[in-house]
Amino acid sequence: LPPKKRDAISQSNGTLPKIGMKKILRETQINAINIMRARLTMADTPEARRAEKARILERLTDDALACSVGIDERNEANFLTALAEGVIVVEDEDNTGTGVRLDYGYKAENTFGVDTVGAISKESIERVIDAADANGISFRRIAIALSAYKKMRQEQWAKELVASYKGISFTSSTKLPVPTAADFDEAFADEFGGITFLKIDRSVTVEKDGQRKSYKPFSANRLVFLVDENVGSLVWGTLAEATNPVAGVVYSTVDNYKLIAKYSKTDPLQEFTSGQAIVAPVIENVDQIYILDSNVKYTAA
């Protein structure tokens, strides 16, 4: 039998970043919460109402949950940025002003520009699909920011695609309506062999120096062509504090990799809750990921 070449095996290497957050409950806040709890206990109300209020108060003071969810939010933000850009920089929690750069090795030859900067044309999409097809790759999904998807539906080619799919006659002077999302998705899938859209409209809230702001980590300028929605893994390591606990600190582990720590300080009284993890999303099979960047002008090779 003729020997066949084995698939190439690649190995990731480098340093996983440490991420985390801390919540502080100060003495005045602790006193206020204790007073609220006391009043709630003495209130002459039905038992069910008292229980519900007690649960609300407990939720408001559940800093451990907030720290756990905060790590989830950071993972989500890192993943969406990594999927769109192929590179992320995660701020080092132990060293202010420094970060860990993760490069997922997106191939430059798999990134394409558009015919007109700022606009996504049918020809630009076809160019990406044809290039992948020449390498034996068939896409199933296109990850796209919802804002970019809405803008694309307003393009003339999108209107004509839906009109043709529905058997509607038109000329170059016909004023066609903007298609609905359902109609455009159906017509697009019919035209491009069943490819569907993964519309992303995810905002995350970050806090720095006491200021909170929301942003959308998935780039609205880039369409990510995927053969599968399972694009990688969440990889984590063991924290030094997990193997070398500090005396007087109460620890708990959440989701196998988040280390939640609770401790107090006096003069004045403060209760600290921190969540930390060594974790990062890893994008795999990057040779099968293709990008269409609407901020880059296409130039023929």
Side-chain angles (χ1 to χ4, degrees), residues 8 10 104-107 110 137 225-228 230-232 282-290:
S10 61
Y104 295 96
Y106 277 24
K107 296 182 177 296
N110 289 358
I137 297 172
F225 293 70
L226 305 168
V227 300
D228 196 333
N230 187 359
V231 297
V282 173
I283 307 298
E284 301 166 346
N285 298 320
V286 294
D287 58 323
Q288 297 180 352
I289 295 178
Y290 283 63

Side-chain angles (χ1 to χ4, degrees), residues 203-215:
S203 296
V204 297
T205 301
V206 296
E207 181 177 331
K208 190 169 186 178
D209 299 328
Q211 300 295 319
R212 292 183 178 179
K213 68 174 184 177
S214 295
Y215 77 103

